[in-house]
Coordinates of all heavy atoms in Angstrom, one line a residue:
M994 N 0.8 -1.2 0.0 CA 0.0 0.0 0.0 C 0.9 1.2 0.0 O 0.7 2.1 -0.9 CB -0.9 0.0 1.3 CG -2.0 -1.0 1.2 SD -3.2 -0.8 -0.1 CE -4.0 0.7 0.6
D995 N 1.7 1.4 1.0 CA 2.5 2.5 1.1 C 3.9 2.3 0.6 O 4.7 1.7 1.1 CB 2.6 2.9 2.7 CG 3.3 4.2 2.9 OD1 3.7 4.8 1.9 OD2 3.4 4.6 4.1
D996 N 4.1 2.9 -0.6 CA 5.4 2.7 -1.2 C 6.3 4.0 -1.0 O 7.3 4.1 -1.8 CB 5.3 2.2 -2.6 CG 4.6 3.2 -3.5 OD1 4.2 4.3 -3.0 OD2 4.4 3.0 -4.7
F997 N 6.0 4.8 -0.2 CA 6.9 6.0 0.1 C 8.0 5.5 1.1 O 7.7 4.8 2.0 CB 6.2 7.1 0.7 CG 5.2 7.8 -0.2 CD1 3.9 7.7 -0.2 CD2 5.8 8.6 -1.2 CE1 3.1 8.3 -1.1 CE2 5.0 9.3 -2.1 CZ 3.6 9.1 -2.1
L998 N 9.2 6.0 0.8 CA 10.2 5.7 1.7 C 10.1 6.6 3.0 O 9.4 7.6 2.9 CB 11.6 6.0 1.1 CG 12.0 5.1 -0.2 CD1 13.2 5.8 -0.8 CD2 12.4 3.8 0.4
P999 N 10.6 6.1 4.0 CA 10.6 7.0 5.2 C 11.3 8.4 4.9 O 12.1 8.4 4.1 CB 11.5 6.2 6.3 CG 11.6 4.8 5.7 CD 11.4 4.9 4.2
P1000 N 10.7 9.4 5.5 CA 11.2 10.8 5.2 C 12.7 10.9 5.2 O 13.2 11.6 4.4 CB 10.5 11.6 6.2 CG 9.4 10.9 6.7 CD 9.7 9.4 6.6
D1001 N 13.4 10.3 6.2 CA 14.8 10.5 6.2 C 15.6 9.8 5.2 O 16.8 10.1 4.9 CB 15.3 10.2 7.6 CG 15.0 8.8 8.0 OD1 14.2 8.2 7.4 OD2 15.7 8.3 8.9
L1002 N 14.9 8.9 4.4 CA 15.6 8.3 3.3 C 15.3 9.1 2.0 O 16.0 9.1 1.0 CB 15.2 6.9 3.1 CG 15.8 5.9 4.1 CD1 15.2 4.5 3.8 CD2 17.2 6.0 4.2
R1003 N 14.0 9.7 1.9 CA 13.7 10.5 0.7 C 14.4 11.8 0.7 O 14.6 12.3 -0.4 CB 12.2 10.7 0.8 CG 11.4 9.6 0.2 CD 9.9 9.9 0.0 NE 9.2 9.9 1.3 CZ 8.4 10.8 1.8 NH1 8.2 11.9 1.0 NH2 7.8 10.7 2.9
T1004 N 14.7 12.4 1.8 CA 15.3 13.7 1.8 C 16.8 13.5 1.7 O 17.5 12.9 2.5 CB 15.1 14.4 3.1 OG1 13.6 14.4 3.3 CG2 15.5 15.9 3.0
P1005 N 17.4 14.1 0.6 CA 18.8 14.0 0.5 C 19.5 14.6 1.7 O 19.1 15.6 2.1 CB 19.2 14.7 -0.8 CG 17.9 14.9 -1.5 CD 16.8 14.9 -0.5
R1006 N 20.6 14.0 2.1 CA 21.3 14.6 3.3 C 22.2 15.6 2.8 O 23.4 15.4 2.7 CB 22.0 13.5 4.1 CG 21.1 12.5 4.8 CD 21.8 11.4 5.4 NE 22.9 12.0 6.3 CZ 22.8 12.3 7.6 NH1 21.6 12.0 8.2 NH2 23.7 12.9 8.3
R1007 N 21.7 16.8 2.5 CA 22.4 17.8 1.8 C 23.1 18.8 2.8 O 24.0 19.5 2.4 CB 21.5 18.7 1.0 CG 21.3 18.2 -0.4 CD 20.4 19.2 -1.1 NE 20.2 18.8 -2.5 CZ 19.3 19.4 -3.3 NH1 18.4 20.2 -2.8 NH2 19.1 19.0 -4.5
E1008 N 22.6 18.8 4.0 CA 23.1 19.8 4.9 C 24.7 19.9 5.0 O 25.2 21.0 5.0 CB 22.6 19.6 6.3 CG 21.2 19.5 6.5 CD 20.6 18.2 6.1 OE1 21.2 17.1 6.3 OE2 19.5 18.2 5.6
E1009 N 25.3 18.7 5.0 CA 26.7 18.7 5.1 C 27.4 19.2 3.9 O 28.6 19.6 4.0 CB 27.2 17.3 5.4 CG 26.5 16.6 6.5 CD 26.6 15.1 6.4 OE1 27.7 14.7 6.0 OE2 25.6 14.4 6.7
L1010 N 26.8 19.2 2.8 CA 27.4 19.5 1.6 C 27.0 20.8 1.0 O 27.8 21.4 0.1 CB 27.0 18.5 0.4 CG 27.4 17.0 0.8 CD1 26.8 16.1 -0.2 CD2 28.9 16.9 0.9
T1011 N 25.9 21.4 1.3 CA 25.3 22.5 0.7 C 26.1 23.8 1.1 O 26.3 24.1 2.3 CB 23.8 22.7 1.0 OG1 23.2 21.5 0.6 CG2 23.3 23.9 0.3
G1012 N 26.6 24.4 0.1 CA 27.1 25.8 0.3 C 26.4 26.7 -0.7 O 25.9 26.2 -1.7
M1013 N 26.5 28.0 -0.4 CA 26.0 28.9 -1.3 C 27.0 30.0 -1.6 O 27.8 30.4 -0.7 CB 24.7 29.6 -0.8 CG 23.5 28.6 -0.8 SD 21.9 29.5 -0.4 CE 22.2 29.7 1.4
L1014 N 27.0 30.5 -2.9 CA 28.0 31.4 -3.2 C 27.2 32.7 -3.7 O 26.1 32.6 -4.3 CB 28.8 31.0 -4.5 CG 29.5 29.6 -4.4 CD1 30.1 29.4 -5.7 CD2 30.4 29.6 -3.3
M1015 N 27.8 33.9 -3.5 CA 27.3 35.0 -4.2 C 28.5 35.9 -4.5 O 29.4 36.1 -3.7 CB 26.2 35.7 -3.4 CG 26.7 36.6 -2.3 SD 25.3 37.5 -1.6 CE 25.9 37.7 0.1
P1016 N 28.4 36.5 -5.7 CA 29.5 37.4 -6.1 C 29.2 38.8 -5.4 O 28.0 39.1 -5.1 CB 29.2 37.6 -7.6 CG 27.8 37.2 -7.9 CD 27.4 36.3 -6.7
W1017 N 30.2 39.4 -5.0 CA 30.1 40.7 -4.3 C 31.2 41.7 -4.9 O 32.3 41.6 -4.5 CB 30.3 40.5 -2.7 CG 29.9 41.7 -1.9 CD1 30.7 42.8 -1.7 CD2 28.7 41.9 -1.2 NE1 29.9 43.7 -0.9 CE2 28.7 43.1 -0.6 CE3 27.5 41.1 -1.0 CZ2 27.8 43.6 0.2 CZ3 26.5 41.6 -0.2 CH2 26.6 42.9 0.4
D1018 N 30.8 42.4 -5.8 CA 31.7 43.2 -6.5 C 32.2 44.5 -5.8 O 33.3 45.0 -6.0 CB 31.2 43.7 -8.0 CG 30.8 42.4 -8.8 OD1 31.5 41.4 -8.6 OD2 30.0 42.6 -9.6
K1019 N 31.3 45.0 -5.0 CA 31.6 46.3 -4.3 C 32.4 46.0 -3.0 O 32.4 44.9 -2.6 CB 30.3 47.1 -4.1 CG 29.2 46.3 -3.4 CD 27.9 47.0 -3.5 CE 26.8 46.3 -2.7 NZ 26.3 45.1 -3.4
P1020 N 32.9 47.1 -2.5 CA 33.6 46.9 -1.2 C 32.6 46.3 -0.1 O 31.5 46.6 -0.2 CB 34.0 48.3 -0.8 CG 34.2 49.0 -2.1 CD 33.1 48.4 -3.0
L1021 N 33.1 45.4 0.7 CA 32.2 44.7 1.7 C 32.5 45.5 3.0 O 33.6 45.5 3.6 CB 32.7 43.3 1.8 CG 31.9 42.5 2.8 CD1 30.4 42.4 2.5 CD2 32.5 41.1 2.9
I1022 N 31.4 46.1 3.5 CA 31.5 46.9 4.7 C 30.9 46.1 5.9 O 29.7 45.7 5.8 CB 30.8 48.2 4.5 CG1 31.6 49.0 3.4 CG2 30.9 49.0 5.8 CD1 30.9 50.3 3.0
I1023 N 31.7 45.8 6.9 CA 31.2 45.1 8.0 C 31.5 46.0 9.2 O 32.6 46.4 9.4 CB 31.9 43.8 8.2 CG1 31.8 42.9 7.0 CG2 31.4 43.0 9.5 CD1 32.6 41.6 7.0
D1024 N 30.5 46.2 10.1 CA 30.6 47.1 11.3 C 31.3 48.4 10.9 O 32.1 48.9 11.6 CB 31.5 46.4 12.3 CG 30.8 45.1 12.9 OD1 29.6 45.0 12.7 OD2 31.5 44.3 13.4
G1025 N 30.9 48.9 9.8 CA 31.3 50.3 9.3 C 32.7 50.3 8.8 O 33.3 51.3 8.5
E1026 N 33.4 49.2 8.6 CA 34.7 49.1 8.1 C 34.7 48.3 6.8 O 34.1 47.3 6.7 CB 35.7 48.4 9.0 CG 36.0 49.2 10.3 CD 36.9 48.4 11.2 OE1 37.7 47.6 10.7 OE2 36.8 48.6 12.4
V1027 N 35.6 48.8 5.8 CA 35.8 48.0 4.6 C 36.6 46.8 4.9 O 37.7 47.0 5.5 CB 36.4 48.9 3.5 CG1 36.7 48.1 2.3 CG2 35.5 50.1 3.2
T1028 N 36.2 45.7 4.5 CA 36.9 44.4 4.8 C 37.9 44.2 3.6 O 37.6 44.3 2.5 CB 35.9 43.2 4.8 OG1 35.0 43.5 5.8 CG2 36.6 42.0 5.2
A1029 N 39.1 44.0 4.0 CA 40.2 43.7 3.1 C 40.7 42.3 3.2 O 40.7 41.7 4.3 CB 41.4 44.7 3.2
C1030 N 41.2 41.7 2.1 CA 41.8 40.4 2.2 C 43.0 40.5 3.1 O 43.9 41.3 2.8 CB 42.1 39.8 0.8 SG 43.0 38.3 0.9
P1031 N 43.2 39.6 4.1 CA 44.3 39.7 5.0 C 45.6 39.3 4.3 O 46.7 39.6 4.7 CB 44.0 38.8 6.1 CG 42.9 37.9 5.7 CD 42.2 38.7 4.6
Q1032 N 45.5 38.6 3.1 CA 46.7 38.1 2.4 C 47.2 39.1 1.3 O 48.3 39.3 1.1 CB 46.4 36.7 1.9 CG 46.3 35.7 3.0 CD 46.1 34.3 2.5 OE1 47.0 33.7 1.9 NE2 44.9 33.8 2.6
C1033 N 46.2 39.6 0.6 CA 46.6 40.5 -0.5 C 46.1 41.9 -0.4 O 46.5 42.8 -1.2 CB 46.3 39.9 -1.9 SG 44.5 39.8 -2.2
G1034 N 45.2 42.2 0.5 CA 44.8 43.5 0.8 C 43.6 44.0 -0.2 O 43.2 45.2 -0.1
T1035 N 43.2 43.2 -1.0 CA 42.2 43.6 -2.0 C 40.8 43.8 -1.2 O 40.7 43.1 -0.1 CB 41.9 42.6 -3.1 OG1 41.0 43.3 -4.1 CG2 41.3 41.4 -2.7
Y1036 N 40.0 44.7 -1.6 CA 38.8 45.0 -0.8 C 37.5 44.9 -1.6 O 36.5 45.3 -1.2 CB 39.0 46.3 -0.1 CG 39.1 47.5 -1.1 CD1 37.9 48.2 -1.6 CD2 40.3 47.9 -1.5 CE1 38.1 49.2 -2.5 CE2 40.5 48.9 -2.4 CZ 39.3 49.5 -2.9 OH 39.5 50.6 -3.8
R1037 N 37.6 44.4 -2.8 CA 36.4 44.2 -3.6 C 36.5 43.0 -4.5 O 37.6 42.4 -4.5 CB 36.2 45.5 -4.5 CG 37.4 45.9 -5.4 CD 37.1 47.2 -6.0 NE 35.9 47.1 -6.8 CZ 35.2 48.2 -7.2 NH1 35.5 49.4 -6.8 NH2 34.1 48.0 -8.0
D1038 N 35.4 42.8 -5.2 CA 35.4 41.6 -6.2 C 35.5 40.3 -5.4 O 36.4 39.5 -5.7 CB 36.5 41.8 -7.2 CG 36.2 41.0 -8.5 OD1 35.0 40.5 -8.6 OD2 37.1 40.9 -9.3
W1039 N 34.7 40.1 -4.4 CA 34.7 38.9 -3.6 C 33.7 37.9 -4.2 O 32.7 38.2 -4.9 CB 34.2 39.2 -2.2 CG 34.9 40.3 -1.4 CD1 34.6 41.6 -1.3 CD2 36.1 40.1 -0.7 NE1 35.5 42.2 -0.5 CE2 36.5 41.3 -0.1 CE3 36.9 38.9 -0.5 CZ2 37.6 41.4 0.7 CZ3 38.0 39.1 0.3 CH2 38.4 40.4 0.9
I1040 N 33.9 36.6 -3.8 CA 32.9 35.7 -3.8 C 32.7 35.4 -2.4 O 33.6 35.0 -1.6 CB 33.3 34.4 -4.5 CG1 33.5 34.6 -6.0 CG2 32.3 33.2 -4.3 CD1 32.2 34.8 -6.8
I1041 N 31.4 35.5 -2.0 CA 31.0 35.2 -0.6 C 30.5 33.8 -0.5 O 29.5 33.5 -1.3 CB 30.1 36.2 0.0 CG1 30.8 37.6 -0.1 CG2 29.8 35.9 1.5 CD1 30.0 38.8 0.5
I1042 N 31.0 33.0 0.4 CA 30.6 31.6 0.4 C 30.0 31.3 1.8 O 30.6 31.7 2.8 CB 31.8 30.7 0.3 CG1 32.6 31.0 -1.1 CG2 31.5 29.2 0.4 CD1 34.0 30.4 -1.2
T1043 N 28.9 30.7 1.8 CA 28.4 30.2 3.1 C 28.2 28.7 3.1 O 27.8 28.1 2.1 CB 27.0 30.9 3.5 OG1 26.6 30.3 4.8 CG2 25.9 30.6 2.5
I1044 N 28.8 28.1 4.1 CA 28.7 26.6 4.2 C 28.8 26.3 5.7 O 29.5 26.9 6.5 CB 29.9 26.0 3.4 CG1 29.7 24.5 3.4 CG2 31.3 26.4 3.9 CD1 30.5 23.9 2.2
R1045 N 27.9 25.4 6.1 CA 27.9 24.9 7.5 C 27.8 26.1 8.4 O 28.6 26.2 9.4 CB 29.1 24.1 7.9 CG 29.2 22.8 7.1 CD 30.3 21.9 7.7 NE 30.8 21.0 6.6 CZ 31.8 21.3 5.9 NH1 32.5 22.4 6.0 NH2 32.2 20.4 5.0
E1046 N 26.9 27.1 8.2 CA 26.6 28.2 9.1 C 27.9 29.1 9.2 O 27.9 30.0 10.0 CB 26.3 27.7 10.5 CG 25.1 26.8 10.6 CD 23.8 27.5 10.3 OE1 23.6 28.6 10.8 OE2 23.1 27.0 9.5
E1047 N 28.9 28.9 8.3 CA 30.0 29.8 8.4 C 30.0 30.7 7.1 O 29.5 30.2 6.1 CB 31.3 29.0 8.4 CG 31.5 28.3 9.7 CD 32.7 27.4 9.6 OE1 33.4 27.3 8.6 OE2 33.0 26.9 10.8
V1048 N 30.6 31.8 7.1 CA 30.7 32.6 6.0 C 32.2 32.8 5.7 O 33.0 33.2 6.5 CB 30.0 34.0 6.1 CG1 30.3 34.9 5.0 CG2 28.5 33.8 6.2
W1049 N 32.6 32.6 4.4 CA 34.0 32.7 4.0 C 34.0 33.7 2.9 O 33.1 33.8 2.1 CB 34.4 31.3 3.5 CG 34.7 30.4 4.5 CD1 33.6 29.7 5.2 CD2 35.9 29.9 5.1 NE1 34.2 28.8 6.2 CE2 35.6 28.9 6.1 CE3 37.2 30.2 4.8 CZ2 36.6 28.3 6.8 CZ3 38.2 29.5 5.5 CH2 37.9 28.6 6.6
L1050 N 35.0 34.5 2.8 CA 35.2 35.5 1.8 C 36.4 34.9 0.9 O 37.4 34.5 1.4 CB 35.7 36.8 2.4 CG 34.7 37.4 3.4 CD1 35.3 38.7 3.9 CD2 33.3 37.6 2.9
R1051 N 36.2 35.0 -0.4 CA 37.2 34.5 -1.3 C 37.5 35.7 -2.2 O 36.6 36.2 -2.9 CB 36.7 33.3 -2.1 CG 37.7 32.8 -3.0 CD 37.1 31.7 -3.9 NE 38.0 31.3 -5.0 CZ 38.8 30.2 -5.0 NH1 38.8 29.4 -4.0 NH2 39.5 30.0 -6.1
C1052 N 38.7 36.1 -2.2 CA 39.1 37.2 -3.0 C 39.5 36.7 -4.5 O 39.5 35.5 -4.7 CB 40.3 38.0 -2.5 SG 41.9 37.2 -2.7
R1053 N 39.7 37.7 -5.4 CA 40.0 37.3 -6.7 C 41.2 36.5 -6.9 O 41.4 35.7 -7.8 CB 40.1 38.6 -7.6 CG 40.5 38.5 -9.0 CD 39.5 37.7 -9.8 NE 38.3 38.4 -10.2 CZ 37.4 37.8 -11.0 NH1 37.6 36.6 -11.5 NH2 36.3 38.5 -11.3
A1054 N 42.2 36.6 -5.9 CA 43.4 35.8 -6.0 C 43.2 34.4 -5.4 O 44.1 33.6 -5.4 CB 44.5 36.5 -5.2
G1055 N 42.0 34.1 -4.9 CA 41.7 32.8 -4.4 C 42.0 32.6 -2.9 O 42.0 31.5 -2.5
H1056 N 42.3 33.7 -2.2 CA 42.5 33.5 -0.7 C 41.1 33.4 -0.1 O 40.2 34.2 -0.4 CB 43.2 34.8 -0.2 CG 44.5 35.1 -0.9 ND1 44.8 36.3 -1.3 CD2 45.5 34.3 -1.2 CE1 46.0 36.3 -1.9 NE2 46.5 35.0 -1.8
E1057 N 41.0 32.5 0.8 CA 39.7 32.3 1.5 C 39.9 32.6 3.0 O 40.8 32.1 3.6 CB 39.2 30.9 1.3 CG 38.9 30.6 -0.1 CD 38.5 29.2 -0.5 OE1 38.7 28.3 0.3 OE2 38.0 29.0 -1.7
T1058 N 39.1 33.4 3.5 CA 39.1 33.9 4.8 C 37.8 33.6 5.5 O 36.7 34.0 5.0 CB 39.4 35.4 4.9 OG1 40.5 35.7 4.0 CG2 39.7 35.9 6.3
H1059 N 37.9 33.0 6.7 CA 36.6 32.8 7.5 C 36.2 34.1 8.1 O 37.1 34.7 8.9 CB 36.9 31.7 8.5 CG 35.7 31.4 9.3 ND1 35.7 30.6 10.5 CD2 34.3 31.7 9.2 CE1 34.5 30.5 11.0 NE2 33.6 31.2 10.2
E1060 N 35.1 34.6 7.8 CA 34.6 35.9 8.4 C 33.7 35.7 9.5 O 32.5 35.4 9.3 CB 34.0 36.7 7.3 CG 33.5 38.1 7.7 CD 34.5 38.9 8.5 OE1 35.5 39.4 7.9 OE2 34.4 38.9 9.7
H1061 N 34.2 35.8 10.7 CA 33.4 35.4 11.9 C 32.3 36.4 12.2 O 31.4 36.1 12.9 CB 34.4 35.4 13.2 CG 35.5 34.4 13.1 ND1 35.3 33.2 13.6 CD2 36.7 34.5 12.5 CE1 36.4 32.4 13.4 NE2 37.3 33.3 12.7
R1062 N 32.4 37.6 11.7 CA 31.4 38.6 11.9 C 30.1 38.4 11.1 O 29.1 39.0 11.3 CB 32.0 40.0 11.7 CG 33.0 40.4 12.7 CD 33.7 41.6 12.4 NE 34.4 41.5 11.1 CZ 35.1 42.5 10.5 NH1 35.1 43.7 11.1 NH2 35.7 42.3 9.4
L1063 N 30.2 37.6 10.1 CA 29.1 37.3 9.2 C 28.6 35.9 9.5 O 29.4 35.0 9.8 CB 29.4 37.5 7.8 CG 30.0 38.9 7.3 CD1 30.3 38.9 5.9 CD2 29.0 40.0 7.8
D1064 N 27.3 35.7 9.2 CA 26.8 34.3 9.4 C 25.8 34.1 8.3 O 25.5 34.9 7.4 CB 26.1 34.2 10.8 CG 25.1 35.2 11.1 OD1 24.5 35.8 10.1 OD2 24.7 35.3 12.3
T1065 N 25.1 32.9 8.4 CA 24.2 32.5 7.3 C 23.1 33.5 7.2 O 22.5 33.7 6.2 CB 23.7 31.1 7.5 OG1 24.8 30.3 8.0 CG2 23.2 30.5 6.3
A1066 N 22.6 34.0 8.4 CA 21.5 34.9 8.3 C 21.8 36.2 7.6 O 21.0 36.7 6.8 CB 21.1 35.2 9.8
W1067 N 23.0 36.7 7.8 CA 23.5 37.8 7.0 C 23.5 37.5 5.6 O 23.0 38.3 4.8 CB 24.9 38.2 7.5 CG 25.4 39.4 6.8 CD1 25.3 40.7 7.1 CD2 26.1 39.3 5.5 NE1 25.9 41.4 6.1 CE2 26.5 40.6 5.1 CE3 26.6 38.2 4.7 CZ2 27.1 40.9 3.9 CZ3 27.2 38.5 3.5 CH2 27.5 39.8 3.1
F1068 N 24.0 36.3 5.2 CA 24.1 35.9 3.9 C 22.7 35.9 3.3 O 22.5 36.4 2.1 CB 24.7 34.5 3.8 CG 25.0 34.1 2.3 CD1 26.3 34.3 1.8 CD2 24.0 33.5 1.6 CE1 26.5 33.8 0.5 CE2 24.2 33.1 0.3 CZ 25.5 33.3 -0.2
N1069 N 21.8 35.3 4.0 CA 20.4 35.2 3.4 C 19.8 36.5 3.2 O 19.0 36.8 2.3 CB 19.6 34.3 4.3 CG 20.0 32.9 4.2 OD1 20.6 32.4 3.2 ND2 19.7 32.1 5.2
R1070 N 20.1 37.5 4.1 CA 19.5 38.8 4.0 C 20.0 39.5 2.8 O 19.4 40.5 2.2 CB 19.8 39.7 5.2 CG 18.9 39.4 6.4 CD 19.0 40.6 7.4 NE 20.4 40.9 7.8 CZ 21.0 40.3 8.8 NH1 20.4 39.3 9.5 NH2 22.2 40.6 9.2
N1071 N 21.3 39.3 2.4 CA 21.9 40.0 1.4 C 22.0 39.3 0.0 O 22.3 40.0 -1.0 CB 23.4 40.3 1.8 CG 23.4 41.4 2.9 OD1 23.3 42.6 2.6 ND2 23.4 41.0 4.2
S1072 N 21.7 38.1 0.0 CA 21.7 37.4 -1.3 C 20.4 37.4 -2.0 O 19.4 37.5 -1.3 CB 22.2 36.0 -1.1 OG 21.2 35.2 -0.4
G1073 N 20.4 37.4 -3.3 CA 19.1 37.3 -3.9 C 18.7 35.8 -4.0 O 19.3 35.0 -3.3
P1074 N 17.6 35.5 -4.7 CA 17.2 34.1 -4.8 C 18.3 33.3 -5.5 O 19.0 33.8 -6.4 CB 16.0 34.2 -5.7 CG 15.9 35.5 -6.2 CD 16.8 36.4 -5.5
M1075 N 18.4 32.1 -5.2 CA 19.4 31.2 -5.8 C 19.0 31.0 -7.3 O 17.9 30.7 -7.5 CB 19.4 29.9 -5.1 CG 20.2 29.9 -3.8 SD 21.2 28.4 -3.5 CE 20.5 27.1 -4.4
T1076 N 20.0 31.2 -8.1 CA 19.7 31.0 -9.5 C 20.3 29.8 -10.2 O 19.8 29.3 -11.2 CB 20.2 32.3 -10.3 OG1 21.6 32.4 -9.9 CG2 19.4 33.5 -9.9
H1077 N 21.4 29.3 -9.6 CA 22.0 28.1 -10.2 C 22.3 27.1 -9.1 O 22.5 27.5 -7.9 CB 23.3 28.5 -10.9 CG 23.1 29.5 -12.0 ND1 22.6 29.1 -13.2 CD2 23.4 30.8 -12.0 CE1 22.5 30.1 -13.9 NE2 23.0 31.2 -13.3
W1078 N 22.3 25.9 -9.5 CA 22.7 24.8 -8.5 C 23.9 24.2 -9.1 O 24.0 23.7 -10.2 CB 21.6 23.8 -8.4 CG 21.8 22.8 -7.4 CD1 22.3 21.5 -7.7 CD2 21.8 22.9 -6.0 NE1 22.5 20.9 -6.4 CE2 22.2 21.7 -5.4 CE3 21.4 24.0 -5.2 CZ2 22.2 21.5 -4.1 CZ3 21.4 23.8 -3.8 CH2 21.8 22.5 -3.3
H1079 N 25.0 24.2 -8.3 CA 26.3 23.6 -8.8 C 26.7 22.4 -7.9 O 26.4 22.4 -6.7 CB 27.4 24.6 -8.7 CG 27.2 25.9 -9.4 ND1 27.2 26.0 -10.8 CD2 26.8 27.1 -9.1 CE1 26.9 27.2 -11.2 NE2 26.6 27.9 -10.1
A1080 N 27.2 21.4 -8.6 CA 27.5 20.2 -7.9 C 28.6 20.4 -6.9 O 28.6 19.8 -5.9 CB 27.9 19.1 -8.9
T1081 N 29.5 21.2 -7.3 CA 30.7 21.4 -6.4 C 31.0 22.9 -6.2 O 30.6 23.7 -7.0 CB 32.0 20.7 -6.9 OG1 32.4 21.4 -8.1 CG2 31.7 19.3 -7.2
L1082 N 31.7 23.2 -5.2 CA 32.2 24.6 -5.0 C 33.0 25.1 -6.2 O 32.8 26.2 -6.6 CB 33.1 24.6 -3.7 CG 33.6 26.0 -3.3 CD1 32.5 27.0 -3.0 CD2 34.5 25.8 -2.1
E1083 N 33.8 24.2 -6.7 CA 34.6 24.6 -7.9 C 33.8 25.0 -9.1 O 34.1 25.9 -9.8 CB 35.6 23.5 -8.3 CG 36.8 23.3 -7.3 CD 36.4 22.7 -5.9 OE1 35.3 22.0 -5.9 OE2 37.0 23.0 -5.0
D1084 N 32.7 24.2 -9.3 CA 31.8 24.5 -10.4 C 31.2 25.9 -10.2 O 31.1 26.7 -11.1 CB 30.6 23.6 -10.4 CG 31.0 22.3 -11.2 OD1 32.1 22.2 -11.6 OD2 30.0 21.5 -11.3
G1085 N 30.8 26.2 -8.9 CA 30.2 27.5 -8.7 C 31.2 28.6 -8.9 O 30.9 29.6 -9.5
L1086 N 32.5 28.4 -8.4 CA 33.4 29.5 -8.6 C 33.7 29.7 -10.1 O 33.9 30.8 -10.5 CB 34.7 29.1 -7.8 CG 34.6 29.1 -6.3 CD1 35.8 28.4 -5.7 CD2 34.3 30.5 -5.8
D1087 N 33.8 28.6 -10.8 CA 34.0 28.7 -12.3 C 32.9 29.6 -12.9 O 33.1 30.4 -13.7 CB 33.9 27.3 -12.9 CG 35.3 26.7 -12.9 OD1 36.3 27.2 -12.4 OD2 35.3 25.5 -13.4
A1088 N 31.7 29.3 -12.4 CA 30.5 30.0 -13.0 C 30.6 31.5 -12.8 O 30.2 32.3 -13.6 CB 29.2 29.5 -12.4
F1089 N 31.3 31.9 -11.7 CA 31.4 33.3 -11.4 C 32.8 33.8 -12.0 O 33.2 35.0 -11.7 CB 31.4 33.6 -10.0 CG 29.9 33.4 -9.4 CD1 29.7 32.5 -8.4 CD2 28.9 34.1 -9.9 CE1 28.4 32.3 -7.9 CE2 27.6 34.0 -9.4 CZ 27.4 33.1 -8.4
G1090 N 33.5 33.0 -12.6 CA 34.8 33.4 -13.2 C 35.9 33.5 -12.2 O 36.9 34.2 -12.5
H1091 N 35.8 32.9 -11.1 CA 36.9 32.9 -10.1 C 37.8 31.7 -10.2 O 37.4 30.7 -10.9 CB 36.4 33.0 -8.6 CG 36.2 34.4 -8.2 ND1 36.8 34.8 -7.0 CD2 35.6 35.4 -8.7 CE1 36.5 36.1 -6.8 NE2 35.8 36.5 -7.8
Ligands
ZN145 ZN1 43.5 37.9 -1.3

């Protein structure tokens, strides 16, 4: 009669894998300060990545910095609707030309 799988089998366990990216071309201002890459000092043209409740900033040179002052809620407030689904982080970065 009931050929549905139990809910925990039907729902892909995506939480551990899902990250979201958004391009951020303008300077990123956090707490009133322009954020710069600690490694190369650039302050614009970011890809902002959220994964596992953490927010990471990736500069054009590929440096990735964990930004403790930002979180997923901030990301969701600032990102538009998701437009693409990428299998991997690398695919997503490619799509944004990083
Ligand atoms: Zn950098």
